[in-house]
Amino acid sequence: MSTARRPRRPAPAKAPGAADAWMAARGWQPFGFQREVWQALGEGRSGLLHATTGAGKTYAVWLGALQHLAHTPPVRAEPVEAGVQQAPSPPVRAELVEATALRAHRAAAPPLTVLWITPMRALAADTLRALQAPLPGLAPTWTSGLRTGDTASGERAAQDRRLPTVLVTTPESVSLLLARADAHERLGSVRLVVVDEWHELVGNKRGVQVQLALARLSGWNPQLQVWGMSATLGNLAEALQTLLPHPAPGAAPAPPAVLVQGRIDKRLDVQVMLPARADRFAWAGHMGLSLLPQVVQAIEACASTLVFTNTRSQAERWYQALLESRPDWAGMLALHHGSLSQEVRTWVEGGLKTGTLKAVVCTSSLDLGVDFLPVEQVLQIGSAKGVARLVQRAGRSGHAPGRTSSITLVPTHSLELVEAAAARRALAQGRIEDRHSPRAPLDVLVQHLVTIALGGGFVPGTLLAEVRRAPAYAQLADNDWQWALQFVRQGGASLATYPDFHRVVPDEDGMWRVPDARLARRHRSNIGTIVSDASMQVQFVSGGRLGSVEESFIARLRPGDVFMFAGRLLELVRTQQMTAYVRVAPKGSAALPRWNGGRMPLSNTLADAMLEVLEQAERGVYATPEMRCARPLLELQHAWSALPTPGRLVAETLHTREGWHLYLYPLAGRLVHLGLAGLLAWRASQQVANTFSIAVNDYGLELLSAKPIDWAALLPRLIGEGTPTAVGQGLEDEVLASLNATEMARRRFREIARIAGLIFQSHPGEQRSSRQLQASSSLYYDVFAQYDPGNLLLAQARAELLAQELDMERLARTLRSMQAKALSVHAIERPTPFALPLMVERFRERLSTETLADRLARMVQALEQAADETTGTHLVPTTVHAADLTWDEPDKPSAQRRARRDAGPRSPVRHPRGRHGF
């Protein structure tokens, strides 16, 4: 392996006032935190800048970098000998002159000096434009460029010849650069790496990918400076430690890193769009589009609005509804989400910047720091489900220092009014969610080994020391490292006879390299840790492309079926390979596309704040407009049962024609409730043989037994003293036993197999379907389970299932919290306002939307009559529409469907047959 080059002597710094002068020329005055970052960069320090969205983080780091790193060497003209008359030059076309000047500028520019890593392509393009603005004044010899999946082939070719001085890119593109044979030569000159929106990367495998890249780059240049930028993180010290690679053994100590918090006077205005009245009986999405007139009015009042939704299907629905309500907005109303084509997304982003669009309905595709100055307000359809996400989205408006960021929450059901009050409370107290890095994921390590083998090769001992400098792998065990080496060398014990798995082998000098050009091309085509359902292109028969939708959705359609996509009603004509050919359909009923990853669980920070505002409500304190609006529901819940509080765990028991119900309200989020419901059902079945049906939402869970069961007597034994409440004490074994863990781990293994290079989303020149991928990963899973049970990827699948799908750490904390609370069990005569949403979740699995709407209309009428008798007031029940039961369904299979499907033959979870009612 080639040795690292000696670091270049630092270039002379710009005059101390260069950044100040550039800002002053534009009428700007630097903030104190910006000067602090400039000083730290000038001292050669690394750090993390945490500041409000729109406060000026980009220029804090970038102007400091230019002031510290850029210098302008004198331009030397070629001498002309005295007495020699130069021949006149022939006329040259202007285009040729410009091209020649551009090539000369690139040739004279300093080598790659700054890597600016962003998590999103849209953010990368916007960042490049911001970085280019100061270059003519502060670094005229510097060049800049963009390298993402959207970069044109011509620009890529130019970069292959010579990289620009500053390169804006993504984690995946950095890994691709590291996979080049000349990676050291091309990247060894990097002196500063900036990781934008670090909060979006720190908690996932893309962040681990960045950590490994930083460990390698800092090995080539021990004086490398690393800066992260974030606006929404709770655990700042940990985030800083996770960002910075550990120092190399024997290297000179680096200046201490710095955490800079940019506190400026920037107002965040959070409002709630209140319905005329909040129903006492609510379920997910029950308000439907009832607040559409108010949303239209809010959009009308502002020049530019972003309308955020939590799912892409919800975005499609609201875009269509807004356009139908205001057809005169055609051309001024747009849709933006990740499945639309890049051309459409770019057009929408351009319209937001120029202020030509009145409103854009979007998803998380516009969450991050894209600078849309004309945007005056943000509307959030439904709860943001977390304080950090609320702040992030609010920051899309007033995206400049001194301007107010404004967000209005639009509830989709009555309990989201309580979430809104809790979000405002948490925000006022400065509480925000923590994010933690994954610990030593072996699939990412395996991919990295092949990448480095392509990037010049490696010696195992030297690379191990480098990998352990990445914080995620600081505690990497020797056995795990040896296993990873053997896995890339021969695929482990069960795949050793197959040449395709001999991906990296040592040569005669002990350097590990990729010996096969075909395997090298396949690896480069699949670098990355983003794994999703295979997508199909949606294309008009006439040729125009609209974007992509998940294959699993198209697979449910037949030619002639109508669905909504890209804001249009489309009719499926045919599918061919991985393309769905469509034509415009006449107006009519439409199925909504479903994408994975749509429904987000309630965060622990927001859940804690909800319990606090519910405790205030129990004392009769309704301090905010949204709590006063939800008061009829909360008072009825208190009258028929009780409100959950920080010190009380509420349980309800109910006997209906279906069986014996238990409703429990830990308010821990749907992922935790899924694992908790399965665990309680399993524990109950160990005492008395039984099977259960379950349903969960963000607020609680339901267990339904067809056999008689005394829940009031049994529940304390299921959650009381003596039951495991900690990981490592048998709790995870109980949770896995309660579900069909093999099938759940098999699904998780597909993602791991894809990242580790066992299966491939695409080969050069082809794309594989999700069915092919799942079949391939299942085959590997079975082979490993039978012939290589010690394969560490199997153990990783189990660990990720517990940590990510079931949120095991939070589940353990919830169980300990439940033990510490006073248990309040209430025998109820009918579903309470908190119980009905859980009942609806279960009903969705058995009834068509029309049948369910009829059933709910009858149930709500009966419940409202009982509520009138209790409270002495009369509220007219809201009409239940079938559309309100479908448009806001989750993108992923619902929790109870997954539990039923994953239930093995011995699982206590089942789905009851028979009539619903009470």
Side-chain angles (χ1 to χ4, degrees):
M1 184 162 112
S2 58
T3 58
R5 294 182 297 178
R6 183 177 179 179
R8 298 189 301 121
R9 181 175 298 174
K14 296 289 291 184
D20 291 88
W22 186 85
M23 295 189 78
R26 285 150 184 80
W28 301 343
Q29 180 67 32
F31 292 110
F33 78 88
Q34 292 176 320
R35 293 187 184 278
E36 188 177 349
V37 173
W38 297 349
Q39 179 179 349
L41 277 161
E43 295 170 352
R45 302 171 74 178
S46 298
L48 174 65
L49 171 58
H50 186 266
T52 309
T53 298
K57 293 188 296 295
T58 299
Y59 282 142
V61 175
W62 182 229
L63 294 182
L66 292 177
Q67 190 164 265
H68 173 51
L69 301 174
H71 68 287
T72 308
V75 179
R76 296 182 178 179
E78 290 297 327
V80 179
E81 292 183 10
V84 177
Q85 185 176 2
Q86 291 185 312
S89 301
V92 183
R93 292 174 53 190
E95 296 86 348
L96 182 59
V97 172
E98 184 178 351
T100 303
L102 179 60
R103 286 195 297 270
H105 179 59
R106 285 179 171 174
L112 178 64
T113 304
V114 178
L115 266 180
W116 197 287
I117 301 175
T118 72
M120 293 179 66
R121 290 174 293 182
L123 183 58
D126 188 75
T127 298
L128 178 62
R129 287 188 286 269
L131 300 188
Q132 288 172 334
L135 289 182
L138 299 183
T141 62
W142 280 33
T143 54
S144 60
L146 181 69
R147 194 177 186 98
T148 70
D150 293 336
T151 303
S153 57
E155 177 64 17
R156 285 179 178 274
Q159 292 177 4
D160 287 341
R161 293 188 294 270
R162 182 180 176 86
L163 288 169
T165 312
V166 54
L167 182 65
V168 181
T169 186
T170 60
E172 293 72 27
S173 292
V174 172
S175 292
L176 279 169
L177 290 173
L178 290 174
R180 295 177 60 102
D182 59 352
H184 187 186
E185 177 184 348
R186 287 176 157 269
L187 301 177
S189 59
V190 174
R191 300 171 62 190
L192 171 66
V193 178
V194 180
V195 185
D196 203 354
E197 307 286 357
W198 178 231
H199 58 273
E200 286 294 322
L201 297 171
V202 64
N204 55 47
K205 291 180 181 179
R206 297 182 78 203
V208 175
Q209 196 176 4
V210 171
Q211 292 180 43
L212 289 169
L214 292 174
R216 188 147 189 83
L217 292 173
S218 63
W220 291 339
N221 180 6
Q223 278 73 48
L224 180 75
Q225 292 177 263
V226 178
W227 276 83
M229 298 193 301
S230 173
T232 52
L233 267 175
N235 51 333
L236 293 177
E238 180 183 346
L240 173 59
Q241 294 171 0
T242 303
L243 173 68
L244 303 181
H246 298 161
V258 59
L259 173 61
V260 179
Q261 298 203 51
R263 302 184 183 277
I264 66 171
D265 186 16
K266 182 175 175 62
R267 182 183 172 195
L268 176 58
D269 185 19
V270 180
Q271 298 294 328
V272 182
M273 189 173 289
L274 301 178
R277 70 146 218 245
D279 293 321
R280 292 181 290 198
F281 297 95
W283 54 88
H286 88 283
M287 288 185 183
L289 295 169
S290 61
L291 291 178
L292 177 63
Q294 291 172 252
V295 170
V296 170
Q297 185 178 3
I299 294 174
E300 180 68 55
C302 289
S304 182
T305 301
L306 282 178
V307 182
F308 275 104
T309 65
N310 291 339
T311 66
R312 299 178 189 180
S313 54
Q314 195 180 37
E316 295 274 354
R317 172 69 171 174
W318 272 90
Y319 170 77
Q320 192 69 27
L322 287 169
L323 200 56
E324 291 173 356
S325 177
R326 289 296 300 269
D328 57 310
W329 284 353
M332 296 187 295
L333 182 68
L335 179 67
H336 190 289
H337 57 65
S339 287
L340 299 177
S341 66
Q342 190 237 335
E343 292 78 8
V344 171
R345 286 185 278 116
T346 301
W347 177 84
V348 173
E349 291 158 17
L352 280 171
K353 288 179 177 297
T354 59
T356 57
L357 290 177
K358 188 163 187 62
V360 173
V361 184
C362 58
T363 62
S364 57
S365 58
L366 290 182
D367 264 3
L368 300 186
V370 184
D371 186 6
F372 299 131
L373 285 179
V375 174
E376 294 182 4
Q377 71 171 347
V378 170
L379 303 180
Q380 166 67 47
I381 306 297
S383 169
K385 296 299 179 183
V387 182
R389 188 175 297 109
L390 176 67
V391 173
Q392 191 73 40
R393 292 182 171 181
R396 298 305 100 223
S397 67
H399 197 269
R403 297 179 61 178
T404 298
S405 294
S406 173
I407 187 167
T408 299
L409 305 179
V410 183
T412 62
H413 60 84
S414 299
L415 286 174
E416 284 187 342
L417 292 166
V418 182
E419 285 193 54
R424 295 217 290 187
R425 178 183 178 87
L427 191 60
Q429 297 172 347
R431 293 151 62 182
I432 203 161
E433 293 83 8
D434 294 345
R435 305 192 190 191
H436 307 283
S437 172
R439 301 173 186 172
L442 292 180
D443 53 346
V444 182
L445 177 60
V446 165
Q447 184 182 107
H448 186 68
L449 290 179
V450 182
T451 295
I452 301 307
L454 285 170
F458 65 84
V459 174
T462 305
L463 184 58
L464 173 60
E466 177 184 298
V467 166
R468 282 177 172 164
R469 292 178 52 234
Y473 295 95
Q475 305 301 320
L476 179 66
D478 289 338
N479 290 341
D480 291 354
W481 171 255
Q482 292 299 326
W483 178 89
L485 285 177
Q486 290 306 308
F487 191 77
V488 298
R489 184 174 185 177
Q490 62 182 22
S494 55
L495 301 175
T497 59
Y498 299 96
D500 270 12
F501 300 102
H502 299 183
R503 291 180 284 172
V504 181
V505 296
D507 60 18
E508 60 276 6
D509 298 323
M511 185 75 70
W512 287 49
R513 305 181 189 273
V514 177
D516 189 321
R518 179 180 60 87
L519 295 178
R521 289 193 300 270
R522 192 168 68 179
H523 178 79
R524 289 191 178 101
S525 298
N526 291 272
I527 279 180
T529 61
I530 301 176
V531 179
S532 62
D533 196 358
S535 296
M536 297 186 71
Q537 290 294 322
V538 180
Q539 180 175 330
F540 283 121
V541 175
S542 57
R545 290 191 175 185
L546 294 170
S548 59
V549 69
E550 287 183 357
E551 181 195 17
S552 57
F553 170 71
I554 295 294
R556 297 198 300 264
L557 304 181
R558 293 177 296 179
D561 283 350
V562 174
F563 64 101
M564 187 184 296
F565 183 71
R568 312 183 192 193
L569 289 178
L570 304 174
E571 178 185 337
L572 179 66
V573 177
R574 67 179 185 277
T575 58
Q576 184 174 343
Q577 295 181 344
M578 295 299 289
T579 301
Y581 292 94
V582 299
R583 64 168 63 99
V584 175
K587 290 186 177 181
S589 60
L592 291 179
R594 309 274 176 82
W595 288 267
N596 282 335
R599 177 159 288 192
M600 299 167 287
L602 189 71
S603 76
N604 56 345
T605 301
L606 191 53
D608 291 343
M610 278 194 73
L611 289 171
E612 292 167 7
V613 297
L614 289 175
E615 184 178 42
Q616 289 183 338
E618 184 186 44
R619 299 198 308 266
V621 177
Y622 295 87
T624 62
E626 52 272 14
M627 288 298 289
R628 288 191 288 272
C629 187
R631 184 169 186 166
L633 181 152
L634 299 177
E635 288 184 337
L636 183 62
Q637 173 69 28
H638 181 65
W640 284 2
S641 174
L643 292 172
T645 68
R648 179 197 298 129
L649 175 65
V650 174
E652 298 168 352
T653 62
L654 174 67
H655 180 208
T656 69
R657 292 197 302 261
E658 293 179 289
W660 284 257
H661 305 253
L662 170 69
Y663 297 100
L664 195 64
Y665 307 111
L667 270 76
R670 63 177 53 250
L671 291 184
V672 170
H673 292 160
L674 174 62
L676 181 60
L679 173 66
L680 296 180
W682 183 83
R683 287 179 176 176
S685 67
Q686 301 305 297
Q687 302 195 24
V688 178
N690 203 347
T691 56
F692 302 89
S693 173
I694 71 173
V696 302
N697 60 19
D698 275 326
Y699 315 116
L701 60 93
E702 177 195 34
L703 290 179
L704 171 61
S705 167
K707 297 180 180 179
I709 186 168
D710 186 354
W711 284 114
L714 181 60
L715 183 59
R717 300 202 299 270
L718 302 183
I719 62 175
E721 294 292 337
T723 56
T725 59
V727 177
Q729 297 180 1
L731 177 61
E732 61 270 38
D733 294 329
E734 285 190 329
V735 171
L736 291 174
S738 70
L739 302 169
N740 190 348
T742 299
E743 285 305 313
M744 297 181 76
R746 192 189 302 272
R747 290 199 310 274
R748 173 60 58 176
F749 182 78
R750 171 185 158 182
E751 299 184 7
I752 294 170
R754 153 70 179 82
I755 295 171
L758 286 172
I759 60 176
F760 297 91
Q761 190 78 36
S762 64
H763 293 269
E766 69 168 293
Q767 186 176 7
R768 307 181 71 193
S769 70
S770 59
R771 184 174 300 176
Q772 291 172 314
L773 293 176
Q774 187 62 49
S776 299
S777 65
S778 295
L779 176 61
Y780 285 121
Y781 186 93
D782 292 339
V783 168
F784 291 156
Q786 184 171 357
Y787 300 105
D788 187 13
N791 192 296
L792 295 184
L793 295 184
L794 295 180
Q796 183 179 337
R798 179 179 183 270
E800 288 189 7
L801 167 64
L802 290 169
Q804 299 179 29
E805 291 199 31
L806 299 175
D807 203 350
M808 197 65 196
E809 290 291 342
R810 189 176 175 189
L811 173 58
R813 291 196 303 270
T814 300
L815 281 169
R816 292 193 292 271
S817 173
M818 290 166 61
Q819 281 189 355
K821 293 180 179 182
L823 178 61
S824 178
V825 182
H826 300 262
I828 56 177
E829 299 178 359
R830 59 188 65 84
T832 64
F834 277 32
L836 182 65
L838 289 164
M839 189 172 281
V840 173
E841 288 289 330
R842 185 165 44 80
F843 285 177
R844 291 180 198 264
E845 297 303 307
R846 294 287 295 170
L847 303 177
S848 68
T849 55
E850 292 80 6
T851 303
L852 177 54
D854 293 341
R855 179 65 56 83
L856 278 177
R858 294 194 297 270
M859 289 179 62
V860 170
Q861 183 178 16
L863 290 171
E864 287 287 1
Q865 290 176 354
D868 291 344
E869 295 174 1
T870 300
T871 63
T873 60
H874 175 66
L875 294 179
V876 179
T878 299
T879 304
V880 180
H881 300 285
D884 298 340
L885 301 171
T886 58
W887 69 271
D888 196 32
E889 287 183 355
D891 293 344
K892 288 185 177 180
S894 63
Q896 65 272 21
R897 182 184 301 160
R898 293 198 318 192
R900 187 184 74 243
R901 181 184 61 207
D902 295 335
R906 302 184 58 163
S907 169
V909 178
R910 72 168 180 85
H911 195 285
R913 298 184 180 274
R915 298 180 61 191
H916 300 287
F918 58 92

